[in-house]
Amino acid sequence: MEPENSLRFETKEEANERRMQEALNRTPHERLMFFLEMVREMQFFKTSKQHPNSFKKNFIIE
């Protein structure tokens, strides 16, 4: 198994296939934990723009 920070040279198709295989190899618990970690990390990328529908008071998932 390769170290996590190793540099890979692969085509987009190869990378997509590898990521798909990695996802399929995870247990349901690992998938949930991966998703929750991804959501937590995405909070750091908030935008300064207001959502176009925010004035309507609709429920918005960001």
Side-chain angles (χ1 to χ4, degrees), residues 1-8 18 41:
M1 181 155 208
E2 294 181 34
E4 195 170 311
N5 294 330
S6 65
L7 183 62
R8 293 188 176 115
R18 177 184 48 78
E41 290 176 358

Side-chain angles (χ1 to χ4, degrees), residues 15-48:
N16 288 342
E17 179 63 32
R18 177 184 48 78
R19 288 194 306 264
M20 176 66 79
Q21 203 52 46
E22 288 172 356
L24 293 174
N25 290 337
R26 291 186 190 109
T27 65
H29 177 261
E30 289 172 328
R31 290 180 193 174
L32 175 61
M33 296 308 293
F34 184 86
F35 174 75
L36 294 175
E37 179 66 21
M38 182 181 65
V39 169
R40 186 181 69 80
E41 290 176 358
M42 288 178 65
Q43 292 176 357
F44 295 114
F45 297 103
K46 292 185 179 179
T47 62
S48 58

